Amino acid sequence: MKVLLLGVTGNVGSRMLPALLARNHQVVAYVRTPSKIPSEAKSKIDSIVTGSATDSEAIKAAITSHSCDAIVNAAGVAPMTRFHSQGDFSTIFAAVVKAAALEAGRERGGAPIRCWLMSGFGILDSPKKPYMMADYIPMFPAHKPNYMLIKSHPVEELAWSLFCATQMFPRYDTPRYPADTDAASNLVAKSDAPPAWTERFRCVPLIGNYLNVMAQSQSCFSVLENCVDFMAADLEMGLRSEWVGKRVGVMEKSKVKAV
Ligand SMILES: NC(=O)c1ccc[n+]([C@@H]2O[C@H](COP(=O)([O-])OP(=O)(O)OC[C@H]3O[C@@H](n4cnc5c(N)ncnc54)[C@H](OP(=O)(O)O)[C@@H]3O)[C@@H](O)[C@H]2O)c1
């Protein structure tokens, strides 16, 4: 696919680039400071568009002028609590959804744009529905309204998926070319809930659920290179992906047996 990548100068986006290239996607990078892109990466990118990820008109123009059929948004950082500076994370999310997906999608007609957006563990369902993880541990509060926003759009209009990781730790200090295309096979994934749920603290009175959610979130710590390859591999499926319209939780296969 031809992918518009936002956030290529960040931890996730810089590793997403080699992952996309290894899966034979073409990449158009959308950045506010092109000079921050290392020369090795620059030489492999199809085109670079300069702009702010809060500018929906500019994102839409980038998609339409480069005929992109997919977007990966790794721009902006979710604030950890409501007491931290909220920054422009939610503005970026809304700009990508509005411009990139809806307006550019509508304008070109036909198939919707395929879209992976970074989100968080907190918006996954707990088995004790209707609760989400964030109802127990209210961290990264921006993810829930973002989810509500994107959920209001039918997948026929916008083929979205939300990547709901907790912490992702890079295996290597810097992005590697070529990226490992076996990396995604190290993960198990589940739609809308964390994989391999256990009820470890069920017997603890009052705070059992809270302890359990905290434990699950730690069990879902993952390797960043595995996560980006997961999304890059999924983009090969285009609109046939099983993850369209889903929140996606992941866990390292090596941890599944341990929990
Ligand atoms: N890292 C994790 O473990 C983890 C876990 C779960 C979810 N996530 C989510 O994944 C996303 C990426 O995280 P990260 O660790 O890669 O963050 P990061 O290293 O801080 O990267 C953030 C990226 O966003 C770009 N950006 C910020 N504001 C922008 C704007 N107005 N216009 C254009 N680009 C803008 C930055 O560009 P500049 O270089 O120009 O500043 C940078 O490329 C975040 O949404 C985060 O919440 C991360």
Side-chain angles (χ1 to χ4, degrees):
M1 296 188 104
K2 195 162 189 183
V3 182
L4 187 78
L5 173 60
L6 293 91
V8 73
T9 54
N11 282 316
V12 176
S14 62
R15 290 167 178 86
M16 181 65 76
L17 174 64
L20 290 169
L21 296 170
R23 297 275 181 179
N24 298 315
H25 301 294
Q26 279 176 280
V27 178
V28 177
Y30 185 97
V31 282
R32 54 182 173 182
T33 318
S35 57
K36 285 176 76 173
I37 306 176
S39 50
E40 186 180 22
K42 235 178 211 166
S43 67
K44 298 174 193 298
I45 295 172
D46 213 57
S47 313
I48 297 174
V49 179
T50 307
S52 171
T54 57
D55 184 346
S56 61
E57 275 302 311
I59 300 168
K60 177 189 160 192
I63 294 166
T64 49
S65 62
H66 291 277
S67 305
C68 296
D69 37 22
I71 301 163
V72 175
N73 180 37
V77 180
M80 190 183 285
T81 69
R82 64 192 176 89
F83 303 109
H84 287 80
S85 156
Q86 296 304 290
D88 52 13
F89 176 70
S90 294
T91 312
I92 291 173
F93 190 95
V96 172
V97 169
K98 177 174 183 281
L102 298 174
E103 292 184 1
R106 272 182 207 142
E107 199 163 287
R108 72 179 191 167
I113 287 171
R114 179 76 182 105
C115 195
W116 270 102
L117 298 112
M118 297 306 298
S119 188
F121 183 80
I123 62 159
L124 294 174
D125 293 333
S126 89
K128 296 191 188 302
K129 283 181 182 172
Y131 301 113
M132 285 179 167
M133 300 297 163
D135 295 329
Y136 293 99
I137 314 288
M139 289 174 75
F140 301 101
H143 293 311
K144 198 166 173 179
N146 286 351
Y147 169 51
M148 296 303 157
L149 172 72
I150 206 158
K151 202 169 82 146
S152 67
H153 299 290
V155 292
E156 294 75 25
E157 218 177 23
L158 167 59
W160 60 269
S161 300
L162 297 181
F163 195 80
C164 301
T166 51
Q167 277 284 102
M168 295 178 287
F169 295 97
R171 173 164 289 139
Y172 305 111
D173 289 345
T174 54
R176 294 249 174 140
Y177 295 90
D180 173 12
T181 50
D182 272 343
S185 65
N186 293 314
L187 295 177
V188 286
K190 187 173 165 83
S191 59
D192 301 331
W197 182 267
T198 58
E199 288 284 350
R200 242 183 292 175
F201 298 96
R202 192 172 23 199
C203 302
V204 180
L206 298 175
I207 59 167
N209 284 341
Y210 293 88
L211 293 177
N212 201 28
V213 169
M214 283 172 75
Q216 303 293 322
S217 100
Q218 299 223 349
S219 302
C220 289
F221 284 0
S222 50
V223 175
L224 183 44
E225 285 81 355
N226 296 345
C227 295
V228 292
D229 184 47
F230 177 89
M231 286 178 268
D234 177 68
L235 285 173
E236 293 179 321
M237 300 301 292
L239 298 173
R240 288 174 291 117
S241 162
E242 66 182 296
W243 308 114
V244 169
K246 307 285 186 198
R247 297 159 280 162
V248 181
V250 295
M251 186 185 274
E252 294 289 320
K253 262 186 195 157
S254 58
K255 291 189 190 165
V256 173
K257 290 189 200 91
V259 294

